[in-house]
Amino acid sequence: MSQVRVRFAPSPTGELHLGGARTAIYNWAFARNNDGVFMLRIEDTDPERSTPENTAQILRSMRWLGLDWDEGPEIGGAFGPYFQTERFDNYVAALEKLKDNGSVYPCFCTPDELTAKREAARKTGGYSGYDRTCRTLSLEDARRRIDAGEPHVWRLAIPLDQEDITINDLVHGETVFPLTALDDYIVARTDGTPTYNFAASVDDTDMQITHVIRGDDHMSNTPKQALTIQALGAPLPQYAHLPMIWGPDGKKLSKRHGATSVEAYRDEGIVPEALLNYLALLGWSLDGETTVIDADTLTENFSMDRISKNPAIFDTAKLEWLNGVYLRDMEPAEFAPYMVEALAKEGLSDVGDYEQRTEWFHELAPLVNERIKLTTEIVPMIGFLFVDEVQIDESARAKVLDKEGAREAVAAAREALADIEWDLPSIESALQALPAQLDAKPRLVFQPLRVALTGTTISPPLFESMLLLGKEKTLKRLDATL
């Protein structure tokens, strides 16, 4: 068997959505598992919607997920160019080859004529596809009309004496496409530009793709591409069509279900390892039980026979749970940059501050990552450490500070902390005696302190927060609250 060569071929007409990202992940994992080549090809032939910005966003999203490609944009390779807009000469050459071997023919039917034929067929219940009018033209007549400048397209002449097309799909098994249901589809438009199915077929042939792994919404394209590749005299790749991703309502995942792009989930607090893990499990499993699968485990164990035929349901709550698992497992040095990035977006801290107080940040990290599921929860939890004064949340003020005994608790804490050494054992010793001293439950003593110091009822552990905040700021905030 020749070396495995797979491709991910997005159109840069928008952001990299989750379905496309999963397709990229499966191609990448399959290539890595088989010591193959993972190629990135940009299908940018839609001039109105394809933009450099979208291309850059796709590359950025893939790198963020940890998907490295062996050939493609910014990498190069022996089978380039890797943008379809730069491959026009390849399509011209392929079309000429099909002309020479009689696999295509010119069609001079106008759009109005084709529309009229379709409408007539619908009324009579007949075949609504192209009726192959121009397929019977003689070579001389066709050449005369071309030389006269008559507008025309080029259609693939489907072999009418061939049996139905059978594809051994690596996910769905043997799949039969009746030849009678196929049209002589257009391969080149009037202006000479290639259609999607023709360009993809030529690219897969030229780039020696061995496996086409894509969503099953492309299933209907497979017979057209197979016939085109056959006409080009090239071996067919193996096909694998992946199940769709549905929302919780059982419908195709879309914006109505919330965020659908990779970068949107990044901005909502998901880390790349968690998203890669979760998307990999939407249609594939290691053993039916394991849910935490890192990239190395995925590539070492990935195989097509473990892909489900059934649609996968996207569950945001499960993704966030998995994200929390990855955050909790991070070492301080790994998690601290997430804190710095989140704080920097709010203008509260920066890389320079982190470099000067690395050990301090590393002490803070485990107090935070053990208590959150999303990186967007970082600033609400620790922002109080990076401001001179806190704004007391009005809800927290009403529920905690305005209650009977709150002022006494804050005052007693201020007095107990005033003259101690500022280390964790001393802080704990000074404050742990307060509930008994005030004859109050610990919650009624310590919650007012938490609100006074952080502005909210949610924060890292109270004593550790005081230590990291420092004695001067701690006493100042208690005084301000009083």
Side-chain angles (χ1 to χ4, degrees):
M1 179 179 174
S2 60
Q3 183 185 36
V4 166
R5 292 180 57 83
V6 297
R7 47 71 162 184
F8 176 54
S11 298
T13 55
E15 297 178 302
L16 179 61
H17 57 78
L18 298 182
R22 187 195 59 174
T23 297
I25 290 169
Y26 283 10
N27 276 277
W28 172 78
F30 184 73
R32 295 292 173 263
N33 182 264
N34 289 278
D35 295 323
V37 172
F38 174 53
M39 177 192 301
L40 177 60
R41 183 174 78 214
I42 304 297
E43 298 188 338
D44 58 343
T45 53
D46 184 338
E48 295 182 359
R49 299 171 61 205
S50 297
T51 67
E53 292 77 14
N54 287 336
T55 298
Q57 180 274 139
I58 290 172
L59 303 188
R60 190 169 61 242
S61 294
M62 290 184 65
R63 287 200 176 94
W64 182 77
L65 284 169
L67 304 180
D68 56 327
W69 53 97
D70 305 301
E71 298 178 17
E74 302 180 355
I75 299 294
F79 296 87
Y82 295 94
F83 288 83
Q84 284 191 333
T85 49
E86 300 174 8
R87 297 182 59 80
F88 191 75
D89 290 346
N90 298 67
Y91 308 136
V92 170
L95 181 60
E96 291 303 315
K97 182 175 183 177
L98 297 187
K99 291 178 185 178
D100 292 342
N101 65 24
S103 296
V104 294
Y105 62 92
C107 174
F108 302 92
C109 297
T110 66
D112 289 342
E113 290 172 337
L114 294 174
T115 299
K117 290 180 180 181
R118 282 193 296 270
E119 291 178 352
R122 290 193 187 100
K123 290 179 180 179
T124 61
Y127 176 63
S128 60
Y130 180 59
D131 62 2
R132 300 186 172 99
T133 298
C134 294
R135 185 163 175 169
T136 59
L137 292 175
S138 67
L139 292 176
E140 293 76 14
D141 190 18
R143 175 52 57 191
R144 177 184 57 77
R145 295 173 71 171
I146 290 173
D147 291 344
E150 187 172 345
H152 61 282
V153 298
W154 287 91
R155 293 181 180 270
L156 184 72
I158 292 178
L160 301 180
D161 57 349
Q162 180 175 311
E163 296 181 353
D164 291 340
I165 300 169
T166 300
I167 300 294
N168 184 26
D169 192 280
L170 296 179
V171 174
H172 296 276
E174 186 175 286
T175 306
V176 179
F177 301 92
L179 204 65
T180 54
L182 296 177
D183 212 342
D184 284 359
Y185 89 95
I186 297 172
V187 297
R189 303 181 184 90
T190 303
D191 61 0
T193 58
T195 60
Y196 163 74
N197 279 305
F198 182 58
S201 302
V202 173
D203 291 344
D204 287 345
T205 298
D206 289 349
M207 296 175 175
Q208 298 179 15
I209 299 301
T210 61
H211 297 75
V212 174
I213 305 170
R214 58 190 179 187
D216 60 15
D217 54 332
H218 282 278
M219 183 75 82
S220 61
N221 293 321
T222 299
K224 296 177 181 179
Q225 294 178 11
L227 286 169
T228 304
I229 293 172
Q230 177 181 293
L232 290 169
L236 286 182
Q238 290 186 271
Y239 290 92
H241 290 90
L242 311 174
M244 300 298 291
I245 300 177
W246 286 354
D249 57 359
K251 297 181 180 180
K252 184 178 178 181
L253 191 67
S254 66
K255 290 183 178 179
R256 69 175 177 274
H257 297 110
T260 59
S261 74
V262 169
E263 291 198 334
Y265 275 95
R266 177 203 64 188
D267 294 342
E268 291 187 1
I270 301 297
V271 296
E273 299 88 349
L275 189 57
L276 176 76
N277 185 158
Y278 185 69
L279 291 178
L281 294 179
L282 290 181
W284 177 89
S285 68
L286 177 64
D287 51 22
E289 298 179 359
T290 306
T291 55
V292 181
I293 300 172
D294 61 22
D296 289 340
T297 302
L298 173 64
T299 56
E300 289 169 5
N301 294 277
F302 189 84
S303 63
M304 302 303 298
D305 58 1
R306 291 178 180 169
I307 295 179
S308 171
K309 299 178 183 179
N310 302 316
I313 303 297
F314 189 87
D315 184 344
T316 301
K318 187 172 182 179
L319 171 60
E320 291 182 358
W321 168 84
L322 186 61
N323 199 64
V325 172
Y326 275 92
L327 290 175
R328 287 191 295 275
D329 285 346
M330 289 183 181
E331 295 295 327
E334 185 181 5
F335 181 71
Y338 282 105
M339 292 194 296
V340 174
E341 180 181 9
L343 292 163
K345 287 181 180 178
E346 301 297 326
L348 298 175
S349 185
D350 54 30
V351 175
D353 185 25
Y354 172 55
E355 291 174 346
Q356 292 177 3
R357 297 197 292 166
T358 301
E359 184 177 348
W360 183 90
F361 273 93
H362 288 184
E363 290 177 3
L364 173 62
L367 305 179
V368 181
N369 67 342
E370 293 178 358
R371 292 168 172 80
I372 63 174
K373 292 190 295 184
L374 302 168
T375 60
T376 50
E377 297 170 348
I378 291 173
V379 172
M381 180 167 285
I382 65 172
F384 73 93
L385 293 168
F386 298 87
V387 294
D388 291 330
E389 299 179 0
V390 295
Q391 295 295 320
I392 304 296
D393 178 77
E394 289 304 317
S395 176
R397 182 189 301 278
K399 291 180 180 180
V400 179
L401 294 185
D402 289 347
K403 297 297 183 181
E404 183 179 350
R407 180 178 182 83
E408 290 76 8
V410 175
R414 172 66 173 83
E415 182 179 354
L417 295 169
D419 298 320
I420 67 169
E421 292 293 327
W422 207 252
D423 54 53
L424 192 57
S426 299
I427 294 172
E428 291 177 344
S429 177
L431 296 180
Q432 283 176 341
L434 291 185
Q437 177 184 324
L438 298 172
D439 192 22
K441 294 180 180 180
R443 179 177 61 84
L444 298 179
V445 173
F446 296 131
Q447 273 292 66
L449 301 185
R450 189 183 304 277
V451 174
L453 297 175
T454 72
T456 71
T457 58
I458 301 173
S459 75
L462 180 61
F463 300 158
E464 286 85 348
S465 295
M466 289 182 173
L467 177 66
L468 293 168
L469 188 61
K471 186 173 184 178
E472 181 181 350
K473 279 189 176 181
T474 296
L475 298 180
K476 181 179 179 182
R477 290 184 187 183
L478 295 178
D479 287 338
T481 301
L482 290 171

